Amino acid sequence: MGKKKERDHALLSASSAKKWIHCPPSARLEDSLPDKESIYAKEGTLAHSICELKLSKLFTDKNMTERTYKGRMKKLQDNELYQPEMEGYADEYADYVSSIAFGFPATPFIAVEKRLDYSPWAPEGFGTGDCIIIYGKDLHVIDFKYGKGIPVKAEGNYQMALYGLGAYNEYGMLFGIENVHFHIVQPRIPNFSSWSTSLNELLVWGEKVVKPAAEKAFRGEGEFRPADYCNGDKENYCMDGFCKAYGRCRATADKNMDLFKEAWNKERNERKLPPLLSWEEVGQLLKKAMFLKSWVENLEKLSLDRIVSGGEVPGWKIIEGRSNRILSNPDTAFKELMDVGYDEAVLYDKKPVPLGTLEKLVNKEDKGILARYTIKPQGKPTLAPEDDARPAMVLERVSAEEAFGGENSYKEE
């Protein structure tokens, strides 16, 4: 028999650590399902390549000439997913790394896109650290996130912690590391998060938490425990998720069906909750319902993909969705209308191009003009669990007098 091909990713990957630590058998279950790389993941890979090139020129490849750098960058720019703003975000990442690297009294040790082996804690475990910096007793682990969904926290980040263990496994004999500092650079939001802990606390976590869970996960043992880590921000790859088995996971289905049991008296075939819910009940049910909503949406997508690809989902079919009428050739149609006397101003709306497009059109030296007029309006209030990483929105309380006119309100003489 030929030599077994090495995996391009670990069964117990760092990016899915939260999932397999809390739900050990999910690792083997997921591994039995096909991979499906999204366009967001491909964009993230390209952005990481740009970051790697910039850091290599700055720190690890001092022999890289300007010509070589431009040639490699040109290849990345030729990628169909390339956007000019990727370089701007990569520059922000490089600036963040530089602020750490140049903050020491002497040159630190720096590794870029380093394969890190954390197999002493998780069988066959490995991953790639975006940037490792070591100086004196301090180890810095820096991770670039291109996603623009939910902000990723450095504190308690399972992926970063495994990278920290991997870096210690690689360099612990060479450096007297005592402190570990984790950094998340997520410039598109923007989100810059950092957290520090002692090496001893990290090693205790590796032995007490990671190792026993990893051994179960590697063997495909343990209990399925569906929770928020099942359905992470899969479109932006910011979180510890997403589980490929999520939509069809029986444990998830059982958990979601329990929500109906709370609200329904099976024996009497009627509601068993009072007509009006208390706010405490609303808060509890809403968290469960949010999980249920994402599960149903995923179940729908899985079913649609299966039927489109030629499979069957008993009891379901594909129908044509609603669409709006369009002109097959707008330019030709409008030309004919103008030829018979219609004014061009009546046929076309004049509106400014989107800010993102405008920034690509404007020269670098003129971007200051845009900067003077660029604002970020407050976002629409959105409901989120209280443990969400994003800060709570501060809402202005308006008095009845202000609402009805303030000083200009009607006053009886």
Side-chain angles (χ1 to χ4, degrees):
M1 292 181 66
K3 184 179 179 181
K4 184 180 179 181
K5 184 180 179 181
E6 183 182 10
R7 288 173 171 272
D8 59 356
H9 66 278
L11 172 71
L12 305 183
S13 67
S15 60
S16 62
K18 185 176 181 181
K19 184 169 48 186
W20 56 257
I21 285 176
H22 289 286
C23 182
S26 66
R28 287 291 177 188
L29 182 62
E30 269 201 285
D31 198 46
S32 67
L33 300 174
D35 283 319
K36 199 171 187 180
E37 188 179 29
S38 73
I39 188 173
Y40 303 102
K42 292 178 180 178
E43 285 180 343
T45 298
L46 177 59
H48 271 81
S49 297
I50 296 174
C51 289
E52 179 184 6
L53 177 60
K54 287 181 178 291
L55 288 194
S56 296
K57 186 175 188 299
L58 276 171
F59 300 112
T60 60
D61 190 352
K62 295 297 184 181
N63 295 321
M64 185 186 299
T65 63
E66 191 65 27
R67 182 177 180 179
T68 300
Y69 172 78
K70 289 182 177 179
R72 293 179 183 176
M73 183 62 77
K74 179 63 169 59
K75 288 183 179 180
L76 296 174
Q77 292 171 339
D78 289 339
N79 189 300
E80 62 180 358
L81 296 177
Y82 171 81
Q83 295 291 337
E85 59 261 31
M86 284 182 176
E87 290 190 56
Y89 294 129
D91 284 334
E92 289 188 56
Y93 170 64
D95 289 342
Y96 188 96
V97 173
S98 297
S99 68
I100 296 173
F102 296 140
F104 301 113
T107 303
F109 168 81
I110 300 178
V112 176
E113 291 297 315
K114 173 67 179 177
R115 180 186 167 110
L116 301 171
D117 178 4
Y118 49 85
S119 59
W121 298 273
E124 300 181 8
F126 68 89
T128 303
D130 292 343
C131 184
I132 302 297
I133 299 178
I134 305 176
Y135 184 85
K137 300 178 180 180
D138 295 299
L139 162 66
H140 291 262
V141 181
I142 309 170
D143 199 36
F144 174 78
K145 299 291 187 186
Y146 192 63
K148 60 179 181 179
I150 297 174
V152 181
K153 294 191 297 184
E155 182 178 357
N157 188 298
Y158 289 67
Q159 178 182 16
M160 298 288 285
L162 283 181
Y163 286 162
L165 289 174
Y168 169 74
N169 184 46
E170 179 77 20
Y171 304 112
M173 296 294 290
L174 302 175
F175 301 93
I177 300 170
E178 293 184 5
N179 307 301
V180 186
H181 311 278
F182 300 110
H183 306 266
I184 295 289
V185 180
Q186 194 176 1
R188 295 176 79 191
I189 295 181
N191 170 47
F192 300 90
S193 174
S194 60
W195 180 64
S196 300
T197 189
S198 69
L199 174 64
N200 183 62
E201 289 181 340
L202 183 63
L203 292 175
V204 169
W205 177 77
E207 291 294 326
K208 300 289 187 181
V209 177
V210 177
K211 192 176 257 188
E215 289 173 354
K216 288 182 181 179
F218 195 73
R219 296 192 299 263
E221 299 174 353
E223 294 183 10
F224 287 100
R225 297 176 56 207
D228 61 341
Y229 42 76
C230 299
N231 190 33
D233 186 17
K234 56 187 180 297
E235 291 191 347
N236 291 289
Y237 285 82
C238 293
M239 298 177 67
D240 302 280
F242 142 86
C243 181
K244 290 187 289 181
Y246 176 62
R248 296 174 61 199
C249 173
R250 191 172 300 279
T252 299
D254 290 342
K255 173 179 174 164
N256 287 326
M257 291 303 101
D258 285 341
L259 180 61
F260 293 102
K261 294 178 183 178
E262 291 184 30
W264 195 258
N265 188 319
K266 186 176 180 181
E267 294 179 358
R268 300 177 60 178
N269 196 31
E270 64 181 18
R271 290 179 303 174
K272 65 180 179 182
L273 292 177
L276 193 62
L277 299 177
S278 70
W279 287 113
E280 287 74 19
E281 288 176 307
V282 169
Q284 293 171 8
L285 288 172
L286 188 56
K287 282 191 175 182
K288 296 177 182 178
M290 290 174 75
F291 188 78
L292 176 63
K293 177 185 176 183
S294 66
W295 175 66
V296 171
E297 288 174 347
N298 184 263
L299 210 56
E300 290 176 343
K301 184 180 184 303
L302 285 174
S303 301
L304 181 63
D305 289 345
R306 177 169 173 78
I307 297 176
V308 167
S309 61
E312 291 185 0
V313 177
W316 293 86
K317 64 181 180 181
I318 290 180
I319 62 173
E320 183 176 339
R322 180 182 176 183
S323 66
N324 295 319
R325 297 175 302 150
I326 60 172
L327 294 172
S328 60
N329 193 326
D331 291 338
T332 302
F334 281 20
K335 183 178 183 302
E336 288 191 27
L337 287 172
M338 287 187 286
D339 288 343
V340 296
Y342 287 91
D343 190 0
E344 181 179 7
V346 175
L347 303 177
Y348 290 92
D349 285 331
K350 183 180 179 181
K351 60 182 180 180
V353 299
L355 180 57
T357 303
L358 186 58
E359 288 175 329
K360 298 173 190 176
L361 298 173
V362 174
N363 295 327
K364 187 175 181 180
E365 56 270 20
D366 297 328
K367 288 189 182 296
I369 298 174
L370 290 182
R372 289 200 299 271
Y373 298 98
T374 300
I375 61 171
K376 192 174 188 302
Q378 190 174 53
K380 179 182 177 182
T382 302
L383 197 63
E386 61 185 357
D387 57 356
D388 190 287
R390 292 166 290 188
M393 185 176 185
V394 179
L395 299 175
E396 289 188 14
R397 303 297 179 186
V398 180
S399 67
E401 182 181 358
E402 291 174 317
F404 289 104
E407 291 297 323
N408 295 321
S409 59
Y410 171 77
K411 294 180 182 179
E412 188 174 347
E413 295 295 335

